[in-house]
């Protein structure tokens, strides 16, 4: 496959699934009973899916690199991403599905099956990404620990992407099995390929094995390439970035939070869009926060669009 797009493109690799979101669950019901909730929403989800939807709203050139199952959910997901889904390989399995419930404190609980995302392979990914990167082209790998077949090939995959000339961003998410020293050692093999790490606070501390955020972020950043960034998403406190001896912080404006699902994925879309436009890290932090804030204050879910971003871009540059 050749890339004929003259603008930088973001290739989003990872987990797209179906989300069934319901709210608000006050307390867990007893076994054998039924609980009626106020709202429900069926929508595409997963870290890669959420980020792709946010990128589409921002009119950022992107390709969603994924796979699909072969049940009744597969065509529904595919038609939402018409420019990407023709390249998705099909596996004889059910679509990955997540059932999420939100709680009064805006926290949420997820229940997920395994489904098609556990079948996504290195070959699937490399067949969907051009052999030669264009100027500024970036690959974002997300849902790392959920795409179990792909995780085993991360060192080889990242090495190949680097050979093809791509910048590499990674948002691992939280490992379902929890952090361990063997897992941290595994990650250490591919951190030297990560130009941008995009994590939240608990993921940063868990990956580095430190309870202090500053120490954890510095530890991870030192293992990245020179001039690479470790970005930490801090929720209501905004976001922070470490790059060598430099540290940046951007605050978030107070908002009425409705649905925090996909907040970090929307941040990734805003942050990386600013990077593709050639803006500074400080601007990228602010664009990321703006994209996340817009998403989590909407119901049904709405993503920040390019026209809205442009109206406030002057104050963020």
């Amino acid at each position: 496959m050749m890339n004929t797009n003259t603008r930088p493109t973001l290739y989003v690799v990872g987990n797209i699934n179906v989300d069934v979101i319901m709210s608000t669950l006050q307390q867990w019901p007893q076994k054998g009973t039924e609980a009626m909730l106020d709202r429900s929403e069926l929508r595409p989800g997963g870290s890669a899916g959420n980020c792709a939807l946010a990128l589409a709203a921002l009119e950022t050139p992107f390709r969603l690199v994924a796979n699909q199952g072969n049940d009744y959910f597969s065509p529904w997901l595919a038609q939402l991403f018409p420019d990407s889904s023709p390249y998705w390989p099909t596996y004889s399995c059910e679509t990955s599905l997540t059932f999420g419930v939100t709680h009064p404190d805006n926290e949420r609980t997820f229940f997920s099956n395994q489904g098609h995302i556990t079948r996504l392979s290195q070959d699937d990914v490399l067949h969907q990404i051009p052999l030669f990167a264009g100027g500024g082209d970036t690959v974002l790998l997300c849902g790392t620990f959920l795409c179990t077949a792909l995780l085993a090939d991360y060192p080889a995959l990242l090495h190949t992407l680097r050979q093809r000339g791509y910048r590499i961003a990674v948002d691992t998410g939280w490992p379902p099995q929890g952090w361990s020293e063997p897992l941290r050692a595994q990650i250490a093999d591919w951190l030297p390929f990560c130009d941008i790490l995009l994590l939240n606070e608990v993921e940063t501390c868990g990956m580095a094995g430190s309870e202090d955020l500053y120490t954890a972020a510095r530890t991870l950043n030192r293992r990245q390439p020179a001039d690479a960034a470790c970005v930490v998403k801090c929720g209501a406190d905004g976001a922070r970035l470490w790059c060598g001896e430099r540290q940046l912080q951007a605050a978030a404006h107070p908002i009425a939070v409705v649905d925090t699902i996909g907040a970090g994925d929307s941040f990734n879309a805003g942050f990386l869009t600013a990077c593709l436009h050639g803006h500074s890290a400080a601007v990228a932090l602010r664009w990321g926060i703006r994209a996340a804030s817009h998403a989590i204050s909407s119901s049904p879910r709405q993503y920040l669009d390019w026209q809205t971003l442009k109206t406030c871009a002057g104050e963020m540059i």
Side-chain angles (χ1 to χ4, degrees), residues 108 170-174 179 197-207 213 216-217 220 230-235 238 242 264 267-268:
R108 68 269 187 172
V170 179
D171 181 349
T172 63
W174 184 266
W179 293 101
L197 269 177
L198 294 154
L199 308 171
N200 63 30
E201 294 170 282
V202 293
E203 291 162 354
T204 302
C205 292
M207 184 181 292
L213 180 62
L220 296 177
C230 178
V231 180
V232 182
K233 297 166 276 190
C234 303
W242 281 260
F267 176 96
N268 294 348

Side-chain angles (χ1 to χ4, degrees), residues 17-166:
N17 54 258
V18 175
D19 275 359
V20 181
I21 309 300
M22 303 190 72
S23 62
T24 302
L25 182 64
Q26 302 290 336
Q27 61 184 16
W28 289 109
Q30 293 181 344
K31 293 180 180 180
T33 65
E34 184 171 354
M36 297 290 287
L37 303 185
D38 298 328
R39 298 190 304 272
S40 67
E41 187 176 354
L42 176 70
R43 66 194 191 204
S47 295
N50 291 329
C51 183
L53 291 170
L55 290 168
L58 289 169
E59 301 179 25
T60 304
F62 77 94
R63 172 71 57 78
L64 177 55
V65 178
N67 65 335
Q68 60 187 338
N70 65 345
D71 60 10
Y72 40 82
F73 280 125
S74 303
W76 180 74
L77 278 178
Q79 58 91 23
L80 295 172
F81 302 96
D83 296 330
S84 300
S85 57
Y87 301 99
W88 296 350
T90 299
Y91 285 87
S92 181
C93 65
E94 62 186 354
T95 296
S96 298
L97 174 70
T98 292
F99 167 63
V101 290
T102 62
H103 306 287
D105 59 358
N106 294 318
E107 287 297 330
R108 68 269 187 172
T109 303
F110 296 130
F111 302 88
S112 299
N113 66 347
Q114 296 196 17
H116 71 276
I117 63 173
T118 63
R119 314 286 184 91
L120 182 67
S121 71
Q122 179 181 200
D123 286 344
D124 294 338
V125 171
L126 293 177
H127 285 153
Q128 297 179 62
I129 293 179
L131 291 174
F132 303 100
D137 285 356
T138 301
V139 175
L140 168 64
L141 295 118
C142 44
T144 300
F145 300 116
L146 303 178
C147 300
T148 51
L150 188 61
L151 175 59
D153 291 327
Y154 252 54
L157 174 62
L158 270 62
H159 179 74
T160 301
L161 292 173
R162 177 71 76 229
Q163 286 184 319
R164 294 187 182 187
Y166 291 95

